[in-house]
Amino acid sequence: MLLIPCPWCGPRDEAEFHYGGQAHVAYPENPAALSDEEWARYLFFRDNPKGLFAERWSHTAGCRRWFNAVRDTATNEIHAVYRVGEPRPVTA
Amino acid sequence: MSERSEPMSGAQPYRREGATGKTLRFRFDGRDYEGLEGDTLASALLANGVRAVASSIKLGRPRGVYAAGCEEPNALVQIEEPFPEPMLTATTVELCDGLVATGLPGQGRLADRPDPARYDAVHAHCDVLVVGAGPAGIAAASVAARAGARVILADERPEPGGSLLGTTETLDGGPGRDWAAREVAALAALPDVRVLRRTTVVGHYDDNYVIAVERRTNHLGAAAPADVARERVWRIRARRVVLATGGHERFVAFAGNDLPGVMLAGAARTYANHYRVLPGSRAVVFTTNDSAYAAALDLADAGVEIAAIADVRQAPGEAWAARCAGRGIELLTGHVVTAARGEGEVSSVEVSRREGGEAREIAADLLLVSGGWTPVVHLFSQAGGTLRYDEELGAFTPGETRQAVEAAGFARGVGGTGARTLRACLEDGAEAGRRALAAAGFAVPAGIALPSAGEEPAAAPAEHLWLVESDDYDAHFVDLQRDVTVAEVLRATGAGLTSVEHVKRYTTAGTAHDQGKTSGLLTSGVVAHALGVDVSELGTTTFRAPYTPVSFAALAGRDRGHLHDPVRVTAMHEWHVARGALFENVGQWKRPWYYPRAGEDMESAVLRECRAAREDVAAMDASTLGKIDVVGPDAAVLLDRLYTNMMSTLKVGSIRYGVMCRPDGMVFDDGTVIRLADDRFLVTTTTGNAAAVLDWMEEWLQTEWPDLRVHCTSVTEQWATVALVGPRSREVLARLAPGLAVDNDSFPFMTWRDAEVAGIEARVCRISFSGELAYEINVSSWFGLALWEAVMASGEVTPYGTETMHVLRAEKGFPIVGQDTDGTVTPQDLGMEWIVSKKKADFVGKRSFARADTSRPDRKHLVGLLPEDPGVLLPEGAHLVETSALPEPPVPTLGFVTSSYRSAALGRTFALALVSGGRERIGERLYAPVGADLVPVTVTSHVLYDPEGARRDG
């Protein structure tokens, strides 16, 4: 079980969190202006890298805040956590 | 089971002199025996001369005790008393008075009665977790604990000492086990140290999250106190983990290596020294390394005649060879055992020079085997560590890891020449303790006092032998528990398999209860031999948790029976129970399902309740509907974005039904929205979806629209709700709320009013989920029962449950999200085009309604179905086909039944279904395959009752 450093509460067991998939996939400004393909990309396409991945987590059984984390999907190491709206930090 | 022909005298003929402890009685395979306190079932059986303990799973060959710990591949037993438990190893079952057990043919039986014992779980944190209380583990724990770190020391055995328990080694001039006992007792007395005995660490996960299982009362048998948990699962988060897990001895593949009487040399040594049991009378020893010499000498001291030692090496350790000569033990260097022979157990051993030549048969009832020692790297590997092959050791040892974990002592191969050396393990453990301290941020003490170990002879290199070559490999066992032989491994490699993972799956080697503890590396070795490659190139199969089997009861802990999941009940629950309601689980809620009267079955009760709601007046406890307070200046903006229809135009005092979709346009939830003030709405959700809808709102607010000033609060449990339904509901409400103008003009459909109902402050909503004139009366949940009792007091109002609610809403074609929808259904599919706003520029899901997929003509639509026989009730989930006879499979399906009921109002059965192009099929006949029949049905509109909506105003 991961130990996830919630930026608001500190390190907590993974069981307290819900996973939210890839981070920085914004709801399109004007969906009506998108082609079907562009809209389908927003709906259905996500990255699936081996290595560093910026992803969303919600501390549902704690402060109930959403935040972002950069996790290495191969090792499960969390390299950074940061609040919603903040840019993805530079990680090694 | 067989016994040797010439037992020694006494009740336990193979018990050594000087054994102490209380006599315990037990029964095995229907025969009564005696053992001693401190025995395992295996040692007690050996003391009584029982050789064949179980039979093998595939071939039914007799099998005896092979090891002395959890690595045992053979001696699987079923416990019958004190409580039935299948598939335990006799080597880990502590003997208790009255124990009844039987040997197993590879598979056991589950208990036929509920387990009365308690199981529990503990969460713990520590600076340093040390796994294994052998010499390295004790040294590591001592260093860490004496510097003030919070230490947990876990060991699977009843007493500390690990490998020291099986040897005659001395520390500080006394028996090594006495040093271990003293040292661990001193550690346990420290305030920040926890010593867990009988505790197996079974799983090592990310961020040093470690699962251990503590067996607290199993060894007490019938005397186990009922108020102490039988087993406890420890969930430990450790800053640093030291794995001092030691090693397992492995055997060699030769003909008959599974016969009872063949035993690992180290195990025999443990039986002789620790349990004071002789596993036989006359032994041949077969070894590839020096460690078996110590075993042979200890057994000789204990009274076992050592007929010969066959050592595959030309040059064993000189000191050992000299000791053997001194004892008159014949040493056959460069020799191998080519076969163990005997009827049901070993009676002779065939030995020959390694390069071949004449074989010699030596009479013996015991064959001790050592193919070298394999470090127990399971946890290190589980934790994500890599393994590397150690040429000298002939085994895999821990390599790199990202986690704060390290192996110490023999677990990382210290000792190096096939077995551990005591001094090196103590020093390595202490060093690991120092590193753990430093890593955990503690000051590291300068000097460490280690006990003085006795002299150990210089070791000679081991030779790594996996199998004794032969023309016939059918009785060269590689995995004893799975009955896998060298012949089968060769079949696998002959079929072209070159990976040990593939060979494992092809042969099942390593997949048994013991997970290949003694056989995994041997399998790799035989595969390497067959392929002509080095075992280091092949690696091992993946190590996965649990290290040893864990009972489901331990994992369940207290989460059993009524504690399995929280139970939520409404304020009116007691009343429902008292009136004999049957309950339905909706999420965690207990909802009244129906209220049968004397002599009624479900069908007749539901028909009666439905008639009351349609023709008279009835009431339902609707408290479980999810309720969310949406408050703030931008509350209306949020709801406009999340619902498909417009909410901002809703007037204070009014109510609107709404549907929410996911961005893909599929229905996610539905419910009503009540406007309480300009900046305040109360949103209701389906019962099972309340938490998900709140999560949904919070997610959008936090991640996409943080600029919106809105707060969402769950108020589901703050309100109790009574739905008052039926043509006479207005007159009942008027009596209960004399101050409320209830006429249709004053209190129209889809509005709400504050009022006093039965003297209780209430919010009354005119909402109908049945199509009838209806009210939902909401009060503080403290007064829920009082309100319900007031509604019921006149005796005119029929209580109804969820089944009637379902029938009433289905007659009207109102879908239930999650029953009539499954995440692939749009509002348009449900025939609810009207709920999708054309005016709003955007809302979640809108763009998807313009996708080609959501306008396909063959999308499944919600329609009604009328079975042609009005008495036939379709099963929910039944599929629908076009033809009256089934074609050859695959049969194209048009859709499926989502809801199906008997209707009092329609006087017949009916169903709702999702049917491809369903609205264009109205009037068509389709068929539902049910069992062997094809039931003809007619497609209709999904609204079957009062389609013009004439009844809602009473």
Side-chain angles (χ1 to χ4, degrees):
Chain A
M1 173 154 39
L2 298 179
L3 190 65
I4 298 174
C6 171
W8 305 91
C9 306
R12 294 288 190 276
D13 279 350
E14 181 186 346
E16 294 183 15
F17 297 83
H18 275 186
Y19 185 62
Q22 185 176 353
H24 308 296
V25 182
Y27 186 76
E29 197 68 38
N30 182 7
L34 299 185
S35 69
D36 275 6
E37 189 186 328
E38 287 166 332
W39 179 246
R41 289 212 163 269
Y42 164 72
L43 285 182
F44 305 124
F45 285 71
R46 295 294 183 270
D47 295 339
N48 184 22
K50 180 180 181 183
L52 297 185
F53 187 47
E55 59 193 17
R56 308 187 312 153
W57 287 88
S58 170
H59 194 186
T60 40
C63 64
R64 296 192 65 79
R65 299 262 201 170
W66 282 89
F67 61 92
N68 296 327
V70 177
R71 180 178 61 98
D72 187 321
T73 58
T75 65
N76 267 344
E77 189 175 355
I78 293 177
H79 289 260
V81 292
Y82 52 104
R83 297 174 185 187
V84 169
E86 292 177 354
R88 174 177 170 166
V90 177
T91 44
Chain B
M1 298 281 165
S2 66
E3 275 183 66
R4 275 175 298 184
S5 49
E6 297 172 61
M8 300 172 199
S9 60
Q12 298 175 48
Y14 292 90
R15 183 73 67 183
R16 288 180 67 186
E17 298 283 313
T20 54
K22 213 173 83 184
T23 298
L24 304 174
R25 265 163 280 276
F26 70 103
R27 173 173 282 214
F28 184 77
D29 278 343
R31 291 192 57 173
D32 292 318
Y33 299 101
E34 285 181 358
L36 293 183
E37 203 170 36
D39 264 334
T40 60
L41 178 57
S43 68
L45 288 169
L46 289 171
N48 285 280
V50 179
R51 305 292 292 268
V53 170
S55 53
S56 72
I57 185 166
K58 246 170 38 190
L59 305 172
R61 291 169 70 101
R63 292 284 164 80
V65 173
Y66 217 79
C70 70
E71 72 273 29
E72 172 63 38
N74 273 347
L76 283 180
V77 297
Q78 167 101 20
I79 303 300
E80 311 286 0
E81 297 287 338
F83 186 79
E85 198 171 353
M87 296 291 281
L88 297 178
T89 43
T91 52
T92 59
V93 172
E94 290 181 54
L95 196 67
C96 61
D97 207 36
L99 185 82
V100 179
T102 51
L104 286 177
Q107 282 178 330
R109 302 179 310 280
L110 289 173
D112 54 1
R113 51 186 189 267
D115 186 349
R118 293 169 69 170
Y119 296 83
D120 217 335
V122 188
H123 292 260
H125 292 76
C126 63
D127 296 312
V128 182
L129 167 68
V130 179
V131 183
I138 292 173
S142 294
V143 170
R146 298 226 151 75
R150 291 174 305 160
V151 173
I152 295 177
L153 173 61
D155 188 274
E156 63 184 353
R157 290 176 182 269
E159 57 192 296
S163 58
L164 292 170
L165 295 175
T167 73
T168 46
E169 292 163 311
T170 61
L171 283 172
D172 282 344
R177 57 187 293 181
D178 292 354
W179 169 81
R182 277 197 312 274
E183 200 65 16
V184 171
L187 280 174
L190 294 174
D192 285 333
V193 175
R194 192 190 293 274
V195 174
L196 297 173
R197 292 193 295 169
R198 297 187 172 91
T199 303
T200 309
V201 174
V202 293
H204 194 154
Y205 303 90
D206 286 307
D207 296 314
N208 272 346
Y209 188 76
V210 171
I211 302 286
V213 180
E214 180 188 14
R215 295 166 294 278
R216 305 184 77 200
T217 66
N218 295 26
H219 61 290
L220 301 173
D227 59 342
V228 175
R230 184 173 183 222
E231 295 182 8
R232 273 202 303 212
V233 171
W234 285 80
R235 307 177 198 281
I236 302 167
R237 185 77 77 173
R239 291 171 75 180
R240 189 91 193 163
V241 175
V242 176
L243 300 173
T245 43
H248 290 150
E249 197 165 22
R250 54 182 187 269
F251 53 93
V252 175
F254 57 85
N257 62 346
D258 68 324
L259 267 183
V262 181
M263 185 182 275
L264 293 167
R269 192 184 184 195
T270 298
Y271 286 115
N273 289 326
H274 181 58
Y275 297 104
R276 302 197 71 78
V277 168
L278 298 183
S281 312
R282 181 177 155 87
V284 170
V285 179
F286 178 26
T287 189
T288 64
N289 65 85
D290 281 355
S291 74
Y293 287 80
L297 292 169
D298 280 1
L299 285 159
D301 288 344
V304 175
E305 184 188 347
I306 306 297
I309 297 178
D311 192 324
V312 69
R313 301 171 296 176
Q314 291 299 342
E318 281 174 25
W320 291 114
R323 286 191 197 182
C324 286
R327 300 293 297 267
I329 296 173
E330 184 181 9
L331 178 55
L332 302 166
T333 56
H335 274 68
V336 292
V337 167
T338 47
R341 297 233 166 86
E343 285 301 313
E345 63 183 271
V346 174
S347 58
S348 72
V349 176
E350 189 187 87
V351 178
S352 75
R353 298 203 63 82
R354 192 179 182 185
E355 59 274 15
E358 204 175 321
R360 177 176 149 199
E361 188 121 354
I362 303 172
D365 64 352
L366 191 60
L367 172 54
L368 305 182
V369 183
S370 179
W373 292 74
T374 310
V376 174
V377 295
H378 297 63
L379 296 173
F380 186 86
S381 178
Q382 281 180 28
T386 60
L387 302 177
R388 53 179 157 74
Y389 189 71
D390 183 321
E391 287 291 345
E392 205 183 358
L393 196 61
F396 289 88
T397 56
E400 300 301 310
T401 175
R402 185 189 76 70
Q403 294 224 45
V405 55
E406 67 173 297
F410 190 73
R412 82 174 181 93
V414 166
T417 54
R420 70 142 177 73
T421 54
L422 182 51
R423 180 81 216 168
C425 281
L426 287 165
E427 283 168 2
D428 196 56
E431 279 309 311
R434 288 161 64 94
R435 281 192 295 275
L437 275 180
F442 287 84
V444 180
I448 303 149
L450 287 174
S452 57
E455 201 188 322
E456 290 169 290
E463 185 163 340
H464 310 310
L465 177 75
W466 309 109
L467 80 164
V468 175
E469 293 193 45
S470 166
D471 298 331
D472 175 2
Y473 286 122
D474 283 339
H476 282 51
F477 286 88
V478 172
D479 185 325
L480 293 162
Q481 201 169 131
R482 280 282 186 241
D483 270 343
V484 176
T485 62
V486 171
E488 280 169 281
V489 174
L490 294 180
R491 259 196 293 284
T493 54
L497 304 184
T498 55
S499 144
V500 286
E501 295 285 4
H502 293 158
V503 172
K504 170 180 176 174
R505 283 150 184 81
Y506 192 85
T507 62
T508 73
T511 63
H513 179 275
D514 63 345
Q515 291 282 291
K517 289 185 179 66
T518 53
S519 65
L521 188 59
L522 180 56
T523 306
S524 293
V526 172
V527 172
H529 177 89
L531 298 176
V533 301
D534 198 89
V535 70
S536 61
E537 296 169 40
L538 286 180
T540 64
T541 54
T542 307
F543 293 96
R544 294 192 181 87
Y547 170 64
T548 53
V550 179
S551 67
F552 280 113
L555 293 176
R558 295 191 178 204
D559 301 335
R560 292 199 294 175
H562 69 286
L563 293 179
H564 176 252
D565 202 32
V567 172
R568 302 172 79 184
V569 297
T570 71
M572 298 79 133
H573 188 72
E574 286 167 43
W575 192 96
H576 307 318
V577 172
R579 292 309 186 282
L582 277 82
F583 289 87
E584 180 182 23
N585 294 325
V586 184
Q588 292 168 333
W589 288 101
K590 294 280 175 202
R591 297 197 70 179
W593 193 14
Y594 59 98
Y595 299 79
R597 288 182 181 166
E600 276 185 340
D601 59 7
M602 177 170 173
E603 188 182 318
S604 48
V606 170
L607 288 172
R608 172 181 54 73
E609 291 175 11
C610 285
R611 269 194 300 274
R614 291 257 182 252
E615 295 165 17
D616 191 20
V617 58
M620 182 183 71
D621 179 354
S623 306
T624 62
L625 277 187
K627 296 176 268 299
I628 302 168
D629 238 352
V630 181
V631 184
D634 297 318
V637 177
L638 173 71
L639 297 183
D640 271 354
R641 291 183 188 179
L642 290 181
Y643 283 96
T644 61
N645 52 339
M646 193 79 91
M647 290 299 174
S648 52
T649 54
L650 186 63
K651 291 185 172 56
V652 174
S654 286
I655 303 170
R656 194 163 285 166
Y657 171 76
V659 169
M660 280 185 201
C661 291
R662 299 271 185 188
D664 63 4
M666 304 303 150
V667 171
F668 162 52
D669 200 60
D670 71 341
T672 55
V673 174
I674 297 171
R675 191 158 204 169
L676 299 172
D678 276 343
D679 63 350
R680 187 176 200 119
F681 295 81
L682 185 85
V683 164
T684 69
T685 74
T686 50
T687 295
N689 237 359
V693 173
L694 182 65
D695 287 349
W696 187 238
M697 292 178 165
E698 290 182 339
E699 179 180 340
W700 285 95
L701 281 171
Q702 289 183 39
T703 64
E704 291 291 345
W705 308 318
D707 54 311
L708 294 186
R709 292 158 299 164
V710 187
H711 289 282
C712 302
T713 310
S714 166
V715 292
T716 302
E717 302 200 331
Q718 277 64 33
W719 292 96
T721 305
V722 178
L724 190 62
V725 177
R728 288 184 56 229
S729 58
R730 182 176 281 136
E731 90 182 57
V732 172
L733 179 64
R735 271 205 305 279
L736 287 167
L740 180 65
V742 296
D743 62 286
N744 199 46
D745 291 336
S746 310
F747 192 179
F749 186 58
M750 294 306 258
T751 61
W752 62 270
R753 301 287 181 264
D754 280 335
E756 227 175 59
V757 180
I760 304 163
E761 236 181 275
R763 179 186 297 142
V764 186
C765 302
R766 256 200 73 190
I767 297 172
S768 178
F769 195 41
S770 59
E772 298 300 321
L773 174 68
Y775 301 87
E776 283 185 11
I777 309 165
N778 298 277
V779 298
S780 160
S781 56
W782 297 111
F783 300 110
L785 182 59
L787 173 67
W788 181 264
E789 284 175 338
V791 169
M792 291 295 156
S794 65
E796 301 170 281
V797 180
T798 301
Y800 71 93
T802 50
E803 189 65 17
T804 291
M805 172 193 80
H806 277 272
V807 179
L808 298 175
R809 64 87 202 175
E811 289 168 345
K812 285 289 293 177
F814 296 150
I816 298 243
V817 172
Q819 174 162 347
D820 302 296
T821 72
D822 61 1
T824 68
V825 179
T826 64
Q828 295 87 342
D829 294 339
L830 295 173
M832 288 164 57
E833 187 79 45
W834 54 271
I835 198 92
V836 179
S837 168
K838 302 277 185 291
K839 290 182 199 150
K840 290 196 285 186
D842 193 30
F843 56 82
V844 174
K846 181 180 169 86
R847 175 63 184 80
S848 289
F849 299 142
R851 294 180 65 229
D853 181 64
T854 52
S855 52
R856 278 188 295 114
D858 64 342
R859 285 194 69 82
K860 291 191 178 76
H861 300 150
L862 185 71
V863 292
L865 296 180
L866 294 175
E868 289 187 3
D869 177 345
V872 168
L873 185 69
L874 294 171
E876 289 173 355
H879 277 259
L880 296 160
V881 297
E882 219 157 11
T883 50
S884 60
L886 287 183
E888 282 299 302
V891 179
T893 173
L894 294 176
F896 50 90
V897 174
T898 58
S899 297
S900 178
Y901 309 103
R902 286 178 203 282
S903 166
L906 303 174
R908 55 163 301 133
T909 58
F910 75 105
L912 298 177
L914 287 168
V915 176
S916 176
R919 281 196 288 277
E920 278 65 53
R921 293 180 185 274
I922 287 174
E924 274 182 31
R925 174 196 272 182
L926 299 177
Y927 298 87
V930 178
D933 301 326
L934 283 175
V935 179
V937 300
T938 305
V939 180
T940 71
S941 157
H942 62 294
V943 186
L944 287 153
Y945 183 73
D946 184 29
E948 48 294 320
R951 303 187 59 83
R952 68 161 207 227
D953 292 331

